[in-house]
Amino acid sequence: MTDHIRAAVVGSTGYGGVELIRLLLTHPKVTITSVISSSNAGEPLTAGYPHLQQALPVETLDGVDPAIIREKADVVFAATPSGVSGKLVPQLLEHEGLRVIDLSGDFRLKDRAAYETWYKHEAPPQASLEQAVYGLTEIYADQVRGAAFVSNPGCYPTATTLGLIPAVEAGAIDRGSIIVDAKSGVSGAGRGLNIGWHYAEMNENFKAYKVNKHQHIPEVEMVLGERAGEPVTVTFTTHLVPMTRGILCTMYASVADDRFLSEDAWIEMYRSYYKDKKFVRIRDKGQWPATKEVWGSNYCDIGFSVDPRTRRVTIISVIDNLVKGASGQAIQNLNVMMGWEEDLGLRLAPVYP
Amino acid sequence: MTDHIRAAVVGSTGYGGVELIRLLLTHPKVTITSVISSSNAGEPLTAGYPHLQQALPVETLDGVDPAIIREKADVVFAATPSGVSGKLVPQLLEHEGLRVIDLSGDFRLKDRAAYETWYKHEAPPQASLEQAVYGLTEIYADQVRGAAFVSNPGCYPTATTLGLIPAVEAGAIDRGSIIVDAKSGVSGAGRGLNIGWHYAEMNENFKAYKVNKHQHIPEVEMVLGERAGEPVTVTFTTHLVPMTRGILCTMYASVADDRFLSEDAWIEMYRSYYKDKKFVRIRDKGQWPATKEVWGSNYCDIGFSVDPRTRRVTIISVIDNLVKGASGQAIQNLNVMMGWEEDLGLRLAPVYP
Amino acid sequence: MTDHIRAAVVGSTGYGGVELIRLLLTHPKVTITSVISSSNAGEPLTAGYPHLQQALPVETLDGVDPAIIREKADVVFAATPSGVSGKLVPQLLEHEGLRVIDLSGDFRLKDRAAYETWYKHEAPPQASLEQAVYGLTEIYADQVRGAAFVSNPGCYPTATTLGLIPAVEAGAIDRGSIIVDAKSGVSGAGRGLNIGWHYAEMNENFKAYKVNKHQHIPEVEMVLGERAGEPVTVTFTTHLVPMTRGILCTMYASVADDRFLSEDAWIEMYRSYYKDKKFVRIRDKGQWPATKEVWGSNYCDIGFSVDPRTRRVTIISVIDNLVKGASGQAIQNLNVMMGWEEDLGLRLAPVYP
Amino acid sequence: MTDHIRAAVVGSTGYGGVELIRLLLTHPKVTITSVISSSNAGEPLTAGYPHLQQALPVETLDGVDPAIIREKADVVFAATPSGVSGKLVPQLLEHEGLRVIDLSGDFRLKDRAAYETWYKHEAPPQASLEQAVYGLTEIYADQVRGAAFVSNPGCYPTATTLGLIPAVEAGAIDRGSIIVDAKSGVSGAGRGLNIGWHYAEMNENFKAYKVNKHQHIPEVEMVLGERAGEPVTVTFTTHLVPMTRGILCTMYASVADDRFLSEDAWIEMYRSYYKDKKFVRIRDKGQWPATKEVWGSNYCDIGFSVDPRTRRVTIISVIDNLVKGASGQAIQNLNVMMGWEEDLGLRLAPVYP
């Protein structure tokens, strides 16, 4: 077991990158040795992020050079946009001993055709796709352990699949009946400029977007299908909430088994399923989690309601999209890859209020 | 046709009341002659609402006295809490010639037992319930015309039923498959103090509440059932959005008829259904309405997505909960009751941004 | 007195333009006959502003052609950016009988050198500058009456000068001691994209900008100096508040005269000064106005605190930056130009909450 | 030097208390052994704060019993309201070896009469006042070191005095000219219910409150006067910003010395003054700090503007009111009291965005 490693963050000027930096700064076994940006190399990181002044051992942004990254770091987090990671990661993987955790969507779908349909550009090479371990840590820790390359899940898929997997595996719901109504804070859209994310347009506003077209849909179906042992198709709607962080998924399904017509049964099933998982908290009966209750932390909280009138269950899950939905889970994966305690550097209470 | 009437607003210190005042102030055929509050009688309205300074012809709050109300006014808006209206309105109706528009939920459900189940207190007398015309104006204008007593719909039911009625009537969807995922701004909860609506708790927060238990559920089912000619049961979840005004309902149902597997078919069906309705706007293909696009106005905007993979339609409707969802629709009902143009005093563009 | 006029709005796709449209739609003596945009001519206005669907008699954006504008309209509102108005307005003024109200900053400063120092581009021609009447309506109504060309004040100068003029004229404060601490909602920055106004950056954030450098400073000093009869220099700081609309100015000055060491004296002085002004409301003792109390309306509310310990007065004024600070005041100016009642189309209560 | 201590938090159900818990949970030398609430003793802390589920070693709230506190803890944080601390702390201090850090305002003012004037209730006993060391850590570390009882500064005074002390000590400004325009997020008002902090009232709103009357004014004047060696009187206005956390103070003063007419001189003076202070960051020329840039962290960032036209300096300082303005500084004081590194448990980057 290695005691201390050096980390590089590619895409340090995006929200995923800067959140990785915040979290890694308090990780007891990691030192950030390189912050990397293709577009701002040579500039101080604090030019775009004055909040990091004096907080960081390295200050100047490096360019993207796999050989230099390998020299400076033992693990690299690729917090790069979809399309960019697909090209960069194969080059990084050529450098022996360099561990890679990719936060883009490029290596999640194993099916290149599906990738190209949903992401609208060319998929990464098949060889790299096969190397990638899908890092939904609670479910795939065995594969992550010792892996050299982990593909970190998307924010919506994390909240959705953690909320549905126990039910899907148990056959508690009709797999054809799943509807996911997902809501996210604006930071999920990244730091790029867009009139839709302009303050005066988004404040006092709630809206749907990419209805039935979000690129996270096939990822959700892939994971649920894999756990179910048969194809699962979902209806999936994404909405933007006037807040910065947080995802709440309200998930509906028809109860397939009379044993699951009470909330107690759901709570028991999920508490049992996640009993050793530190970051999944099953809420008490009659309590549904709010996004602020996980804000800034790596938790995923889940609550239930069962309506005997309609025989449907309503499952509500929340995460912080930038932590459990991105950078926190990436660190959780690093911990498992390294054989460390899963929650090292992540024992953070949510920030409240 | 009367040319000008005098209006009293009971419950002037709540959000529904103060919004009625804002809207009535620009109505060309109405003068506010009494603002009424049981708890603050004798005080100036501006004590709690300094924004109304100099804006209003009457300044001092009157107490609740039906005889005096009748003397001062031709129509009374009861923007009183549920439970209070149930007692007050029967007394008001004893005064001949006084028209009443009630904004509470007390006279919406015709079934007293259902009322008591969902509202948890005693239902109003049967006689008053029978007098009440349910004022979902686009649908029930014929009954509203000339009525003396209108029960104004709830905010969630307005957005929901306007979004579902054409489909339910046309048999375009499987009536047992309806799921409504509703989101509301915080003003819907009223001006009462509650830690859950405290700024520091609600800001940067999104949460579900009253899951499967909201008192608007039976109202939605009553209206949809009445239009369908058979009972309709829905799954209905309510959420609070960190914003002041606005409701967005995302509604899911299985398409029952192959003709409705395209968005064009939905747009055509709804445009035809609402063709003379000034306040319902059906959005173009690929456009889903956002709450800010109806903010401060009496519009209800509706958009569609059809997913051929799952054969489900997603219908999205938005309103301003305090206007079309309460005070604006109350004035729309007044206009129809009086035989005036339906949009008198309501030709307001949404406030944007 | 003309009974009805036709209006064109240039810059219809900016926030000032779209707010003009909202307000003009309910003006009883104005019809919008042309909405104009240089960059989006030929497109429907609703492409960028779906909230205006069905609300407007004209739908397609016209290009900027002064001759056609003259044909279609009797008055033109130029809600164009600074620099653009300076070139366009002189061309518009060549068309006889066309009244022009300019909302940019281009014609406010009479001193071309000052303009070029603060605005960093060339000033408009001297002749047009001389034609422009500065439209701070409460103060300069006599000049506005019958004018052909009005330059509408800036948002910060409106809130600031209405809050200071009575004191400056009365000699109640030391004119060298004025400090203005101004705070504005984000809509004041317009619809242009900028990372600083991105939702995730601005939400839960409060910041200063352009400290001592805002281009509205010389405008404030010009007006105060003109009323004082001697040069006035101010310290002026601008801040961005995480909200869409609203300006609050906290203004400090040393009391120059013992008669003004009580709040009563200030209230009396201001109520007397503004006694016939419908849009200025002087608040009662111990009450300071909040931005929400004028939201969506043309009011400017003012309150006071006098500290006998420091012999300083604190004056607080609020406006809606898009109404009294821009489009509302432009319509107020139109009313005065036309000899109509000053508040025609502007008898709007603030939207609350 | 003690290696590890046990901490009790009184007032665990307020925002200051819950923030202490969040921060102490990652402190390497502290274990929380008791969470205390007078009103909710016996209940689980998570009843009011479900976000803390599973995060905390102790779960049930203890009542307020000094003897038991002494048994369970080595240090007690009193995050109790003003008035309550004044009575509780003297009892705690009777227990030998128990260190006390008080976050209320009760022990800040040494002058009992001043306390009673501003706080409107009886001051604590003189003896306890004399024991209290005022814990503005950057300035009074020498007194804090080894102290048994520290009175933690108020949020506004922390931001204000850190921003003014170097100038006051250097004689760079006219001490009679100081004006502080302070803005705070709503969490500063605490968790108590009040219509003014209700979401629908505070959202899209900016307002002043307690103008010239805030109880933090004498605290600011006490500290500045002590550093100046002569009385200092300030004009001080407090405002509420529609955000949860953050304070920004804009401070104005006349420059008293020509050497300080450039921003470079100010930056140099402050960098030199705070050169060993890890939590004070002086910003580069032309950069003013925003509240989000210190959000969730213990930093105080300071920037400057000098206007040669008016010979005034504008100093802008920001803190997170719940961290450096309350709980973070309390822990900083604990570290200094214990002889530990000042930033132990506080090496936190701001949360961004």
Side-chain angles (χ1 to χ4, degrees):
Chain A
M1 197 191 304
T2 319
D3 230 37
H4 205 96
I5 63 169
R6 301 166 305 152
V9 176
V10 190
S12 288
T13 58
Y15 289 152
V18 84
E19 183 71 349
L20 272 166
I21 291 168
R22 173 176 85 91
L23 295 170
L24 290 172
L25 280 172
T26 57
H27 195 293
K29 299 202 172 184
V30 178
T31 303
I32 299 172
T33 49
S34 179
V35 287
I36 297 164
S37 162
S38 60
S39 46
N40 301 84
E43 293 177 21
L45 174 59
T46 52
Y49 287 115
H51 74 280
L52 287 174
Q53 194 180 322
Q54 295 174 30
L56 205 59
V58 287
E59 291 196 343
T60 306
L61 288 160
D62 290 326
V64 186
D65 181 327
I68 294 179
I69 291 172
R70 181 62 196 101
E71 243 170 69
K72 290 194 169 184
D74 307 304
V75 62
V76 56
F77 293 92
T80 30
S82 159
V84 175
S85 276
K87 297 198 175 91
L88 172 64
V89 168
Q91 299 170 41
L92 293 168
L93 291 173
E94 288 171 12
H95 292 266
E96 216 190 306
L98 185 62
R99 290 168 200 267
V100 178
I101 300 172
D102 180 53
L103 285 85
S104 84
D106 287 356
F107 297 91
R108 296 177 195 151
L109 303 183
K110 297 305 176 196
D111 177 342
R112 298 185 77 231
Y115 178 91
E116 289 169 7
T117 299
W118 291 89
Y119 283 81
K120 319 275 184 213
H121 46 240
E122 207 196 338
Q126 189 63 34
S128 323
L129 285 175
E130 280 165 19
Q131 273 184 275
V133 170
Y134 184 74
L136 185 65
T137 335
E138 278 71 18
I139 308 301
Y140 298 107
D142 287 348
Q143 291 90 315
V144 171
R145 197 163 297 121
F149 172 29
V150 167
S151 168
N152 215 52
C155 50
Y156 287 121
T158 296
T160 302
T161 59
L162 290 177
L164 288 170
I165 283 172
V168 161
E169 291 191 12
I173 54 175
D174 167 0
R175 286 161 189 169
S177 72
I178 300 171
I179 292 174
V180 180
D181 192 281
K183 301 90 174 170
S184 175
V186 185
S187 66
R191 213 185 195 200
L193 293 176
N194 183 307
I195 187 66
W197 314 325
H198 191 287
Y199 186 88
E201 306 278 327
M202 192 61 233
N203 181 41
E204 268 295 283
N205 202 358
F206 184 89
K207 56 185 162 193
Y209 71 105
K210 291 191 185 176
V211 182
N212 285 317
K213 294 209 163 58
H214 199 286
Q215 70 277 10
H216 286 173
I217 296 175
E219 184 180 341
V220 167
E221 294 179 344
M222 176 189 77
V223 176
L224 295 181
E226 193 272 329
R227 302 315 291 179
E230 62 175 15
V232 173
T233 306
V234 300
T235 289
F236 195 96
T237 310
T238 40
H239 304 81
L240 273 187
V241 186
M243 62 185 187
T244 300
R245 288 170 179 240
I247 281 180
L248 184 147
C249 291
T250 312
M251 296 171 279
Y252 302 93
S254 299
V255 174
D257 181 329
D258 281 3
R259 285 176 304 149
F260 296 107
L261 279 175
S262 82
E263 281 146 22
D264 289 332
W266 283 85
I267 291 170
E268 194 194 323
M269 166 171 46
Y270 276 60
R271 287 200 172 147
S272 161
Y273 192 93
Y274 288 121
K275 72 172 174 302
D276 300 320
K277 309 301 177 190
K278 290 178 181 170
F279 295 120
V280 179
R281 303 188 296 191
I282 306 305
R283 306 296 288 268
D284 288 343
K285 192 169 173 174
Q287 250 192 38
W288 304 287
T291 59
K292 205 182 189 74
E293 291 162 2
V294 297
W295 208 99
S297 82
N298 202 50
Y299 289 114
C300 174
D301 283 16
I302 304 173
F304 307 93
S305 172
V306 176
D307 186 3
R309 301 183 330 135
T310 58
R311 289 184 60 92
R312 287 197 192 98
V313 64
T314 304
I315 305 172
I316 294 177
S317 69
V318 298
I319 59 168
D320 181 321
N321 57 303
L322 292 178
V323 188
K324 183 60 180 168
S327 306
Q329 186 156 246
I331 293 170
Q332 186 182 357
N333 279 320
L334 173 66
N335 290 338
V336 174
M337 289 164 91
M338 301 302 297
W340 298 335
E341 285 177 86
E342 190 173 345
D343 62 348
L344 218 57
L346 296 170
R347 288 164 199 155
L348 302 168
V351 188
Y352 197 95
Chain B
M1 196 193 306
T2 319
D3 230 36
H4 204 95
I5 63 169
R6 301 164 306 152
V9 177
V10 190
S12 288
T13 58
Y15 290 153
V18 85
E19 183 70 351
L20 272 166
I21 291 169
R22 174 177 83 90
L23 294 170
L24 290 172
L25 280 173
T26 58
H27 194 294
K29 300 202 174 187
V30 178
T31 302
I32 300 172
T33 49
S34 179
V35 288
I36 296 166
S37 161
S38 61
S39 47
N40 301 83
E43 291 178 22
L45 175 59
T46 52
Y49 286 116
H51 75 280
L52 287 174
Q53 194 179 321
Q54 295 174 28
L56 205 57
V58 287
E59 290 195 346
T60 306
L61 288 160
D62 291 326
V64 186
D65 180 328
I68 295 179
I69 292 174
R70 180 62 197 100
E71 242 170 68
K72 290 195 170 184
D74 307 305
V75 63
V76 56
F77 293 91
T80 30
S82 159
V84 175
S85 277
K87 297 197 175 91
L88 172 65
V89 168
Q91 300 171 40
L92 293 169
L93 290 173
E94 290 171 11
H95 291 267
E96 213 189 307
L98 185 63
R99 291 169 200 266
V100 178
I101 300 172
D102 180 52
L103 285 85
S104 85
D106 286 357
F107 297 92
R108 296 177 195 151
L109 302 184
K110 298 304 177 198
D111 177 343
R112 297 184 78 232
Y115 178 90
E116 291 171 5
T117 300
W118 291 89
Y119 283 81
K120 319 275 184 211
H121 46 240
E122 206 196 338
Q126 189 64 34
S128 324
L129 285 175
E130 279 165 21
Q131 272 183 276
V133 170
Y134 184 75
L136 185 65
T137 335
E138 278 71 18
I139 307 301
Y140 297 108
D142 287 348
Q143 290 90 315
V144 170
R145 197 164 297 123
F149 172 30
V150 167
S151 169
N152 216 51
C155 50
Y156 286 122
T158 296
T160 302
T161 58
L162 290 177
L164 287 170
I165 283 172
V168 162
E169 291 191 11
I173 55 175
D174 168 0
R175 286 161 189 171
S177 72
I178 300 171
I179 292 174
V180 180
D181 192 281
K183 301 91 174 170
S184 175
V186 185
S187 65
R191 214 186 193 199
L193 293 176
N194 182 308
I195 187 67
W197 315 325
H198 191 288
Y199 186 87
E201 306 279 327
M202 193 61 234
N203 181 42
E204 268 297 282
N205 201 359
F206 183 90
K207 54 185 164 194
Y209 71 105
K210 292 192 186 176
V211 182
N212 285 317
K213 295 208 162 58
H214 199 286
Q215 69 276 13
H216 286 173
I217 296 176
E219 183 180 341
V220 167
E221 294 179 345
M222 176 189 77
V223 175
L224 295 182
E226 192 272 329
R227 303 315 291 179
E230 63 175 14
V232 173
T233 306
V234 300
T235 289
F236 196 94
T237 311
T238 39
H239 303 81
L240 273 187
V241 186
M243 62 185 187
T244 300
R245 289 169 178 241
I247 281 179
L248 184 146
C249 291
T250 313
M251 296 171 278
Y252 303 93
S254 299
V255 174
D257 182 329
D258 281 3
R259 286 177 303 151
F260 296 106
L261 279 174
S262 82
E263 282 146 20
D264 290 333
W266 283 85
I267 291 169
E268 195 193 323
M269 168 171 44
Y270 276 61
R271 287 200 171 148
S272 160
Y273 191 93
Y274 288 121
K275 72 173 174 300
D276 299 321
K277 308 301 176 189
K278 290 177 181 172
F279 294 121
V280 179
R281 304 189 295 192
I282 306 306
R283 305 297 287 268
D284 287 344
K285 192 171 173 173
Q287 250 192 38
W288 305 287
T291 60
K292 205 181 188 76
E293 291 161 4
V294 296
W295 207 101
S297 82
N298 202 49
Y299 289 114
C300 173
D301 283 15
I302 304 173
F304 307 94
S305 171
V306 176
D307 186 3
R309 302 183 329 135
T310 58
R311 289 185 60 94
R312 288 199 191 98
V313 64
T314 304
I315 305 172
I316 294 176
S317 69
V318 297
I319 60 169
D320 181 322
N321 57 304
L322 292 178
V323 188
K324 182 62 179 168
S327 306
Q329 186 156 247
I331 294 171
Q332 186 182 356
N333 280 320
L334 173 68
N335 290 337
V336 174
M337 289 163 91
M338 301 301 298
W340 298 335
E341 285 177 87
E342 190 173 345
D343 62 347
L344 217 57
L346 296 170
R347 288 164 198 154
L348 301 168
V351 188
Y352 197 96
Chain C
M1 197 191 307
T2 319
D3 231 37
H4 206 95
I5 63 169
R6 301 165 304 152
V9 177
V10 191
S12 289
T13 58
Y15 289 152
V18 86
E19 182 70 350
L20 271 166
I21 291 168
R22 174 177 83 92
L23 294 170
L24 290 172
L25 280 173
T26 57
H27 194 294
K29 299 202 173 185
V30 178
T31 303
I32 299 172
T33 49
S34 178
V35 287
I36 297 164
S37 161
S38 60
S39 47
N40 301 84
E43 291 177 22
L45 174 59
T46 52
Y49 287 115
H51 74 281
L52 287 174
Q53 194 179 322
Q54 295 174 30
L56 205 59
V58 286
E59 290 197 345
T60 307
L61 288 160
D62 290 325
V64 186
D65 180 326
I68 294 180
I69 291 174
R70 179 61 197 100
E71 244 171 69
K72 290 194 169 183
D74 306 304
V75 62
V76 56
F77 293 91
T80 30
S82 159
V84 175
S85 275
K87 296 197 175 93
L88 172 64
V89 169
Q91 299 171 40
L92 293 169
L93 290 174
E94 288 172 11
H95 292 267
E96 217 189 305
L98 185 62
R99 291 169 199 267
V100 178
I101 300 172
D102 180 53
L103 284 86
S104 85
D106 287 357
F107 297 91
R108 295 177 195 152
L109 302 183
K110 298 305 176 195
D111 178 342
R112 298 185 78 232
Y115 178 91
E116 290 169 7
T117 300
W118 291 89
Y119 283 81
K120 318 277 184 211
H121 46 241
E122 208 196 338
Q126 189 64 34
S128 324
L129 285 176
E130 280 165 20
Q131 273 184 276
V133 170
Y134 184 75
L136 185 64
T137 335
E138 278 71 18
I139 308 300
Y140 299 107
D142 287 349
Q143 291 90 315
V144 171
R145 195 161 299 120
F149 172 29
V150 167
S151 169
N152 215 52
C155 50
Y156 286 123
T158 295
T160 303
T161 59
L162 290 177
L164 287 170
I165 283 172
V168 161
E169 291 192 11
I173 54 174
D174 168 0
R175 287 162 188 168
S177 71
I178 300 170
I179 292 173
V180 179
D181 193 280
K183 300 90 174 171
S184 175
V186 184
S187 65
R191 213 186 195 201
L193 293 176
N194 182 307
I195 187 67
W197 314 325
H198 191 288
Y199 186 87
E201 306 279 327
M202 193 60 233
N203 181 41
E204 267 297 283
N205 201 358
F206 183 89
K207 56 185 162 192
Y209 71 104
K210 291 192 185 176
V211 182
N212 286 316
K213 295 209 162 59
H214 199 285
Q215 70 276 11
H216 285 173
I217 295 175
E219 184 180 340
V220 167
E221 294 180 344
M222 177 190 76
V223 175
L224 295 182
E226 192 272 328
R227 303 315 291 179
E230 63 174 15
V232 173
T233 306
V234 300
T235 289
F236 196 95
T237 310
T238 39
H239 304 82
L240 273 187
V241 186
M243 62 185 188
T244 300
R245 289 168 178 241
I247 281 180
L248 184 147
C249 291
T250 312
M251 297 171 278
Y252 302 94
S254 299
V255 174
D257 182 329
D258 281 3
R259 286 176 303 151
F260 297 107
L261 279 175
S262 83
E263 281 146 22
D264 289 332
W266 282 85
I267 291 170
E268 193 194 324
M269 166 172 45
Y270 276 60
R271 286 201 171 148
S272 160
Y273 191 94
Y274 287 121
K275 72 172 174 299
D276 299 323
K277 308 303 176 190
K278 289 177 181 173
F279 294 120
V280 179
R281 303 188 296 190
I282 305 305
R283 305 297 287 269
D284 287 343
K285 193 170 172 174
Q287 249 192 38
W288 304 286
T291 60
K292 205 181 189 75
E293 292 162 3
V294 297
W295 208 100
S297 83
N298 202 49
Y299 289 115
C300 174
D301 283 15
I302 304 173
F304 307 94
S305 173
V306 177
D307 186 2
R309 302 182 332 133
T310 58
R311 290 185 59 93
R312 288 199 190 97
V313 65
T314 304
I315 304 172
I316 294 176
S317 69
V318 297
I319 59 169
D320 182 321
N321 58 301
L322 291 178
V323 188
K324 183 62 180 166
S327 306
Q329 186 157 244
I331 292 171
Q332 187 183 357
N333 279 321
L334 173 66
N335 290 337
V336 175
M337 289 164 90
M338 301 302 297
W340 298 335
E341 286 177 87
E342 190 174 344
D343 62 348
L344 218 57
L346 296 170
R347 288 165 199 153
L348 302 168
V351 188
Y352 196 95
Chain D
M1 197 193 304
T2 320
D3 231 37
H4 206 95
I5 63 169
R6 301 164 305 152
V9 176
V10 191
S12 288
T13 57
Y15 289 152
V18 85
E19 182 71 350
L20 272 166
I21 291 169
R22 174 177 82 91
L23 295 170
L24 289 172
L25 280 173
T26 57
H27 194 294
K29 299 202 173 185
V30 178
T31 303
I32 299 172
T33 49
S34 178
V35 287
I36 297 165
S37 161
S38 59
S39 47
N40 302 84
E43 292 177 21
L45 174 59
T46 51
Y49 287 116
H51 74 281
L52 286 175
Q53 194 179 322
Q54 296 175 30
L56 205 59
V58 287
E59 291 197 343
T60 306
L61 288 160
D62 290 325
V64 186
D65 180 327
I68 295 179
I69 292 173
R70 180 62 196 99
E71 245 170 67
K72 290 195 170 183
D74 307 304
V75 63
V76 55
F77 293 91
T80 29
S82 160
V84 174
S85 276
K87 296 195 177 94
L88 173 64
V89 169
Q91 299 171 42
L92 293 169
L93 291 173
E94 288 171 13
H95 292 268
E96 217 191 303
L98 185 63
R99 291 169 199 265
V100 178
I101 299 172
D102 180 54
L103 285 86
S104 85
D106 286 357
F107 297 91
R108 296 178 195 150
L109 302 184
K110 297 306 176 193
D111 177 343
R112 298 185 78 231
Y115 177 90
E116 290 170 6
T117 299
W118 291 89
Y119 282 81
K120 319 275 184 212
H121 46 240
E122 208 197 338
Q126 189 65 32
S128 324
L129 286 175
E130 279 166 20
Q131 273 183 276
V133 170
Y134 184 75
L136 184 65
T137 335
E138 278 71 17
I139 307 301
Y140 298 106
D142 287 349
Q143 290 91 315
V144 170
R145 196 162 298 122
F149 173 28
V150 167
S151 168
N152 215 52
C155 51
Y156 287 123
T158 296
T160 302
T161 59
L162 289 177
L164 287 170
I165 283 172
V168 161
E169 292 191 10
I173 53 175
D174 168 0
R175 286 162 189 170
S177 71
I178 300 170
I179 292 174
V180 179
D181 192 280
K183 300 91 175 170
S184 175
V186 185
S187 65
R191 215 185 193 200
L193 293 176
N194 182 308
I195 187 66
W197 315 325
H198 190 288
Y199 186 87
E201 306 278 326
M202 193 61 233
N203 181 41
E204 268 299 282
N205 201 359
F206 184 89
K207 56 185 162 193
Y209 71 104
K210 291 192 185 177
V211 181
N212 284 317
K213 295 209 165 55
H214 199 285
Q215 69 277 12
H216 285 173
I217 296 176
E219 184 181 341
V220 167
E221 295 179 345
M222 176 190 76
V223 175
L224 295 182
E226 192 272 329
R227 303 315 291 178
E230 62 175 16
V232 173
T233 306
V234 300
T235 289
F236 195 94
T237 310
T238 39
H239 303 82
L240 273 189
V241 186
M243 62 185 187
T244 299
R245 288 169 178 240
I247 281 180
L248 184 147
C249 291
T250 312
M251 296 172 278
Y252 303 94
S254 299
V255 174
D257 181 328
D258 281 3
R259 285 176 304 151
F260 296 107
L261 280 175
S262 83
E263 281 145 21
D264 289 332
W266 282 85
I267 291 169
E268 194 193 323
M269 168 171 43
Y270 275 61
R271 288 200 171 148
S272 161
Y273 191 93
Y274 288 121
K275 71 172 175 302
D276 299 322
K277 309 301 178 191
K278 289 177 182 173
F279 294 120
V280 179
R281 303 188 296 190
I282 306 306
R283 305 297 287 267
D284 287 343
K285 194 169 172 174
Q287 249 192 38
W288 303 287
T291 60
K292 207 182 187 77
E293 291 161 4
V294 297
W295 207 100
S297 82
N298 202 49
Y299 288 115
C300 174
D301 282 16
I302 304 173
F304 307 94
S305 173
V306 176
D307 187 1
R309 302 184 330 136
T310 57
R311 290 185 59 94
R312 287 199 191 96
V313 65
T314 304
I315 304 172
I316 294 176
S317 69
V318 297
I319 60 169
D320 182 321
N321 56 304
L322 292 178
V323 188
K324 183 61 180 167
S327 307
Q329 186 157 244
I331 293 171
Q332 187 182 356
N333 280 319
L334 172 67
N335 290 337
V336 174
M337 289 163 91
M338 302 301 298
W340 298 334
E341 285 177 86
E342 191 175 344
D343 63 348
L344 217 58
L346 296 170
R347 288 164 198 154
L348 301 167
V351 188
Y352 198 95

